[in-house]
Amino acid sequence: MEEAKSPWRAYLALLYTASGITGVAYEILWARMLSLQFGASIFGVVFTVTAFMAGLGLGSLYGVTRKVRRTVAAFALLEIGVALYSLVLPSLLRIGTAEIDALSSSLSPASWFGLQGVVSVFLLLIPAALMGASFPMVLGAAENSSLKLGTIYGLNTAGAAVGALLPLGLLPELGWTGAVRLVAAIGLVVGAGALVLSKGLADRTPDAGRHPFPKTWSLLPYAGIGASSLMLQVGWARLYSLVMLRTEYVLAVILAVYLVGLGLGSLLSRRRELWLILLPCCASGFVILSLWLFPHYSAWVEAARFHSLAEALFKEGGAIALMTLPVTLALGAWLPLLNARLDAGGAWLYGVNSIGAAVGALLGGLVFIPLFGTMATVAISGMGLLLFGLLWVKKRIAWIAVPILLLCAYPVMQFPPVSRLLPKDQAGSTDLYRYEDALSITHVVEDAGGQRLLLTDLQRMDASTDPTAVAVQKNQARLPLLLHPGAHSILFLGLGTGISAAGSLPYPGMERTAVELSEGAIRAAGTLFSGSNLNVMKGMEVHRDDARHFLIATTRRYDVIVGDLFHPDLTGVGALLSKQQFEHARSCLTENGIFVQWLALNQFDPESLDAVLRSFAEVYPNAALFVDGMHLALVGPKRRLANLAEMEANLARLNETERIAATGGEGLQTWMGRYWGQIRTDSGPVQDEWSPYIEFSLPRARFDGKIDMSRVLGTLLRRRPSVREAEKTFGVGAADSQSFERAYIGSELAARSWIAFLQGDDMTALKLKRYAYQANPKDRWIASTLADSMMESLPQAVEQGMDRKMALQKVLEVYPDDVDALREMMRLENAAGNREQGQFYRSRLLAISPLDKEVRP
């Protein structure tokens, strides 16, 4: 059969497009695989990309030097080889998990990160090299045909864009192993199709697709472009994921947009000398323009309202495409243009570009971002594209673009103020501190009133010095220390501001340890938040490490382990709520130890929350739930919960001041009244490292309106045991029965009031608040919400003739720590000339809110 009359070129193009789909899907799934082993840090991703790109480059360079007669058959065997390896890889990793975990126990964090690199290269270099070697095989098969390099590369890259999105559908439905198997099955079909196609083609000459080694100078600039482009991809992915929240969906869309641009650029490339001048200038210019536009994009995303995840990704991804497409079009156009200009052979160019990209991934993630920051890294990448691209330009006048674009880049190399990026939520705030490394960007901002807020990766609002937030954070330590019969050591998985750890200060001789991956958070906790965390850092051992690695590596055992609040829908973070993570925590508990994982109820829909509860209950059969305000505590005793008598004996070892501080002034009965029963679950999905669920369910629920806290609270209420069952659980005797019952009923009435409020029934909500307060006035959440309602109705009360000062005193009778009421009383007394009384209220306000600008010295 003559090739001129055969549709083989279309079949080959289709097969290589499908190969692009599987190639990037493999890369994403392999990155997920390594994140299971090495935690939620960027290092696993960087090393995966480095090994993948290096393998592609080395494979391409090796393939172009081989004499291959049947190039299509060789391409088929390469695809089949990668698919078979991918089928074996999950089993290999599962077998090696125990050995890797055992090895990690003897490694420092630095050595642990080094191990990531070694494992990544060992596991991924060979299959990536096989994929890279397929490129010269396809070029060789298509040589002397109408199927040109630009078309081949463009179609393969367009397929890769589809491959970037494919895991979004596969992972939540099939899990990691099932997704890999399906992608491998597609790879096997591609390989089989290529084998069938090869039988209908005549043997090609052994030198088909081979080109002599070109001059080094002609290759090095394209390696530099590869390095700059990968640094740019790393920087852009970080910037845009800050704004859009770094979920699995967002990262996939960013990568897909990037690859679409590469593919279109390759398909549209033209062999014109002018293009060699325009490509570097346009690429660099639009990179710098994207930095100028970034604050406007961030403000637009903050103000936008979307009705579904699909709408959000489409519109946000479209906006990203408008800013990045000119650059990625230029990057895609370079390969076919240089191939025609230099006659170097597309496989040589592809190989050195991929190896350069591997170097760029390492430089961008591990060197440039930590040293110069993300904005500067993007700008440096843009200037790199300009400088390397101009090396092929013969007209010296083109170099005038260098100083012009440098002047344009200089003003946007620093990270913009948070108030500019988030003009709605952070209006009027001032940046006090910023720390950026390969792991995260840490900001500390101060609002107009003087309160400080810790931001991780811009939108993750970790903790605040607002008095209510301080109480919430301290309660993370108060509850587990009350539930343990006599703790002497406590481990915090996440440090944040250090305020949570301050909740353990009432216990003398307590050994405090914290694990925190963000260096910025560690530094801020020791300085900017020292007043609010009562200098707890001075007596605490802090490890900069990934929580999963620390739990696997440590040989110490702790009486109490506290899992901090975090955003579970972010990429990699959901693994911290997996049953494997809960098992690691259990292994680090003492015989009577207790693990408490805190969750924010406003971050879950009922179905996703149930998946976490099932996972927790599998590891802790006697697990219980406590509700503190809007936060849910998953309490996992290694053996059993302490009873009321044991808790009272635990508090008895403290003096009166320490006992008051240990309960936050609310008393032990109030805390027992927040008991919500044992975890009751039915069959359904769990959060498993090998079969992730909440990372995919939560982003959809967030935009689809399924995250409704009234539904979550309603579900928990329906499962709550009766007060008599709760009394039996804690061994409450007759002497304590009435006070326990009042606290228990008060917390339920408070929950029902929140449900009524969320459903828009303000009158019912207010009535239930009052009933809850009558049941248990010691509960600070009940008292504070009632005081808030009273402050809101203060203007109406004054209009009806009530004295303003008397009305404020009534608010303070309900909740003595109400900041707004104390401030108004201070102002009224000062205005009336009652300096002594004004100073009294100022002192109370200063004790509660030491950073308040109006009262701090």
Side-chain angles (χ1 to χ4, degrees):
M1 178 172 58
E2 288 185 320
E3 293 176 10
K5 297 180 181 180
S6 170
W8 69 270
R9 291 181 296 274
Y11 294 145
L12 182 62
L14 179 63
L15 290 171
Y16 200 49
T17 302
S19 175
I21 295 175
T22 58
V24 171
Y26 284 137
E27 180 187 2
I28 292 174
L29 292 171
W30 290 340
R32 158 67 70 167
M33 171 198 71
L34 291 178
S35 73
L36 300 182
Q37 287 297 322
F38 299 115
S41 76
I42 194 176
F43 295 104
V45 176
V46 168
F47 288 136
T48 300
V49 173
T50 299
F52 188 80
M53 298 306 297
L56 290 179
L58 293 173
S60 181
L61 295 179
Y62 178 81
V64 77
T65 62
R66 300 298 94 190
K67 293 184 177 182
V68 179
R69 181 176 294 277
R70 297 180 60 94
T71 51
V72 176
F75 163 63
L77 294 177
L78 291 170
E79 289 291 313
I80 292 172
V82 174
L84 293 176
Y85 180 83
S86 294
L87 289 173
V88 174
L89 189 57
S91 298
L92 290 176
L93 187 64
R94 283 182 180 270
I95 293 171
T97 294
E99 285 72 18
I100 294 174
D101 288 348
L103 180 61
S104 74
S105 64
S106 61
L107 297 177
S108 66
S111 300
W112 174 247
F113 292 138
L115 177 64
Q116 293 186 44
V118 172
V119 172
S120 300
V121 171
F122 176 78
L123 292 176
L124 306 185
L125 193 63
I126 292 177
L130 296 178
M131 285 188 274
S134 67
F135 186 61
M137 299 301 106
V138 174
L139 289 183
E143 193 166 6
N144 300 322
S145 76
S146 59
L147 194 59
K148 302 303 181 185
L149 181 144
T151 303
I152 293 172
Y153 180 69
L155 291 175
N156 181 261
T157 308
V162 177
L165 301 174
L166 185 61
L168 296 180
L170 299 183
L171 278 173
E173 299 298 329
L174 304 176
W176 190 85
T177 303
V180 167
R181 287 173 177 169
L182 183 56
V183 174
I186 298 173
L188 290 173
V189 171
V190 172
L195 277 178
V196 173
L197 180 62
S198 69
K199 293 181 179 180
L201 297 177
D203 289 349
R204 311 192 70 78
T205 62
D207 290 329
R210 296 183 69 234
H211 290 263
F213 185 80
K215 295 179 180 179
T216 303
W217 70 265
S218 67
L219 293 179
L220 289 180
Y222 199 47
I225 286 176
S228 299
S229 64
L230 235 296
M231 284 174 54
L232 176 63
Q233 182 182 348
V234 170
W236 269 350
R238 182 165 195 172
L239 283 181
Y240 294 124
S241 64
L242 293 179
V243 176
M244 299 169 66
L245 283 181
R246 192 177 62 247
T247 66
E248 299 282 356
Y249 295 91
V250 167
L251 294 182
V253 167
I254 292 173
L255 179 58
V257 168
Y258 189 88
L259 292 169
V260 165
L262 291 181
L264 287 176
S266 181
L267 292 170
L268 299 175
S269 178
R270 296 292 181 269
R271 302 177 184 179
R272 294 177 182 174
E273 186 68 24
L274 180 61
W275 277 54
L276 285 177
I277 300 175
L278 292 179
L279 288 181
C281 295
C282 288
S284 180
F286 278 99
V287 167
I288 294 168
L289 179 61
S290 73
L291 294 177
W292 282 95
L293 293 175
F294 177 66
H296 302 285
Y297 176 76
S298 177
W300 171 74
V301 171
E302 184 194 29
R305 292 293 177 266
F306 306 108
H307 299 95
S308 68
L309 178 63
E311 180 190 1
L313 294 177
F314 178 77
K315 291 183 177 179
E316 291 178 349
I320 290 177
L322 290 176
M323 290 186 287
T324 63
L325 194 58
V327 181
T328 54
L329 286 172
L331 294 176
W334 247 311
L335 178 60
L337 183 63
L338 291 176
N339 181 58
R341 165 72 182 274
L342 303 176
D343 193 27
W348 286 109
L349 290 166
Y350 179 85
V352 298
N353 183 263
S354 297
I355 292 175
V359 175
L362 285 176
L363 291 176
L366 306 183
V367 179
F368 282 90
I369 286 179
L371 288 179
F372 306 114
T374 305
M375 298 287 285
T377 298
V378 172
I380 291 170
S381 302
M383 295 306 300
L385 294 176
L386 177 65
L387 294 173
F388 289 118
L390 289 177
L391 292 176
W392 289 299
V393 176
K394 297 178 181 179
K395 296 181 179 180
R396 295 184 178 180
I397 189 63
W399 286 85
I400 193 65
V402 175
I404 294 174
L405 290 176
L406 273 175
L407 290 173
C408 294
Y410 182 76
V412 289
M413 293 183 72
Q414 293 295 321
F415 206 86
V418 172
S419 59
R420 190 177 172 205
L421 294 172
L422 302 174
K424 182 180 178 182
D425 288 343
Q426 299 300 323
S429 68
T430 303
D431 287 17
L432 297 182
Y433 173 75
R434 183 182 69 253
Y435 183 89
E436 185 171 1
D437 56 20
L439 300 172
S440 62
I441 300 177
T442 302
H443 281 92
V444 177
V445 299
E446 185 176 81
D447 66 20
Q451 302 302 335
R452 293 172 182 173
L453 177 66
L454 177 67
L455 301 175
T456 301
D457 288 340
L458 195 59
Q459 292 198 61
R460 287 171 54 195
M461 301 178 187
D462 285 352
S464 166
T465 60
D466 178 81
T468 300
V470 169
V472 170
Q473 294 165 77
K474 288 184 178 179
N475 286 352
Q476 291 184 28
R478 285 170 176 157
L479 175 64
L481 290 174
L482 289 171
L483 294 176
H484 193 282
H488 296 284
S489 60
I490 185 169
L491 169 66
F492 295 92
L493 301 179
L495 173 67
T497 59
I499 297 173
S500 298
S504 66
L505 287 174
Y507 295 84
M510 182 68 65
E511 295 180 7
R512 300 175 186 87
T513 307
V515 181
E516 175 59 57
L517 198 55
S518 169
E519 177 67 23
I522 295 173
R523 296 185 182 187
T527 54
L528 294 169
F529 293 97
S530 59
S532 297
N533 63 35
L534 307 177
N535 289 310
V536 71
M537 297 287 287
K538 291 184 178 180
M540 183 163 57
E541 181 182 346
V542 180
H543 297 265
R544 192 189 181 203
D545 200 354
D546 177 80
R548 183 183 187 276
H549 172 249
F550 180 85
L551 292 175
I552 294 172
T554 187
T555 57
R556 294 177 60 183
R557 297 294 176 264
Y558 300 89
D559 294 324
V560 171
I561 300 177
V562 179
D564 200 0
L565 292 162
F566 48 78
H567 293 258
D569 57 342
L570 298 184
T571 299
V573 178
L576 297 177
L577 294 178
S578 67
K579 63 180 184 180
Q580 288 86 355
Q581 176 71 359
F582 297 149
E583 287 167 353
H584 295 320
R586 192 177 193 279
S587 68
C588 294
L589 290 172
T590 56
E591 189 62 28
N592 292 314
I594 185 172
F595 171 58
V596 176
Q597 176 63 61
W598 288 93
L599 305 176
L601 289 174
N602 63 346
Q603 294 177 349
F604 286 88
D605 63 297
E607 293 75 22
S608 299
L609 179 59
D610 277 342
V612 177
L613 296 181
R614 291 186 196 100
S615 307
F616 198 81
E618 280 192 18
V619 181
Y620 301 95
N622 296 318
L625 298 177
F626 284 75
V627 175
D628 178 43
M630 297 301 174
H631 296 149
L632 181 68
L634 280 59
V635 179
K638 194 168 185 178
R639 295 177 60 191
R640 63 173 180 83
L641 281 176
N643 58 41
L644 185 59
E646 291 170 323
M647 295 180 209
E648 289 174 337
N650 178 32
L651 283 176
R653 63 191 176 105
L654 309 178
N655 62 42
E656 184 178 358
T657 301
E658 292 168 342
R659 285 197 297 271
I660 293 173
T663 66
E666 296 180 279
L668 180 59
Q669 296 284 7
T670 294
W671 280 99
M672 294 303 95
R674 291 170 179 154
Y675 173 66
W676 231 253
Q678 289 191 316
I679 295 180
R680 301 178 183 178
T681 60
D682 51 13
S683 60
V686 298
Q687 177 65 5
D688 189 291
E689 286 183 347
W690 294 91
S691 185
Y693 178 77
I694 62 175
E695 295 97 319
F696 297 93
S697 65
L698 285 178
R700 293 197 302 266
R702 177 182 173 216
F703 284 100
D704 293 344
K706 295 180 179 179
I707 295 184
D708 180 353
M709 200 160 62
S710 65
R711 288 181 60 216
V712 174
L713 282 171
T715 301
L716 293 174
L717 271 173
R718 287 190 293 273
R719 298 174 182 173
R720 196 183 196 203
S722 69
V723 65
R724 301 303 169 216
E725 291 176 291
E727 285 180 343
K728 185 176 180 181
T729 298
F730 292 109
V732 178
D736 298 309
S737 179
Q738 184 177 9
S739 57
F740 178 83
E741 182 175 349
R742 293 178 69 89
Y744 197 80
I745 293 173
S747 63
E748 179 165 330
L749 289 171
R752 293 188 182 279
S753 75
W754 294 328
I755 293 174
F757 173 77
L758 292 168
Q759 293 176 344
D761 190 351
D762 293 344
M763 291 300 297
T764 300
L766 181 57
K767 288 180 181 179
L768 289 170
K769 285 179 191 176
R770 293 187 182 278
Y771 294 150
Y773 180 75
Q774 292 171 8
N776 184 20
K778 291 184 178 181
D779 189 312
R780 66 176 296 114
W781 303 121
I782 296 173
S784 64
T785 55
L786 180 57
D788 288 343
S789 298
M790 294 172 69
M791 287 296 293
E792 289 177 6
S793 63
L794 187 64
Q796 291 84 358
V798 173
E799 287 179 4
Q800 295 173 5
M802 180 177 284
D803 180 70
R804 189 174 190 87
K805 183 175 178 180
M806 183 180 297
L808 289 169
Q809 287 174 340
K810 287 185 176 295
V811 173
L812 292 174
E813 287 175 6
V814 171
Y815 185 50
D817 292 343
D818 189 281
V819 171
D820 292 332
L822 288 171
R823 181 179 287 106
E824 282 214 41
M825 286 295 291
M826 177 187 70
R827 291 172 179 172
L828 287 175
E829 296 291 0
N830 288 336
N834 301 325
R835 298 297 179 186
E836 186 175 344
Q837 278 298 103
Q839 182 60 34
F840 169 75
Y841 287 112
R842 179 182 179 276
S843 300
R844 287 180 59 184
L845 186 58
L846 186 62
I848 298 167
S849 183
L851 294 178
D852 192 300
K853 279 188 176 180
E854 190 170 353
V855 298
R856 71 187 184 190

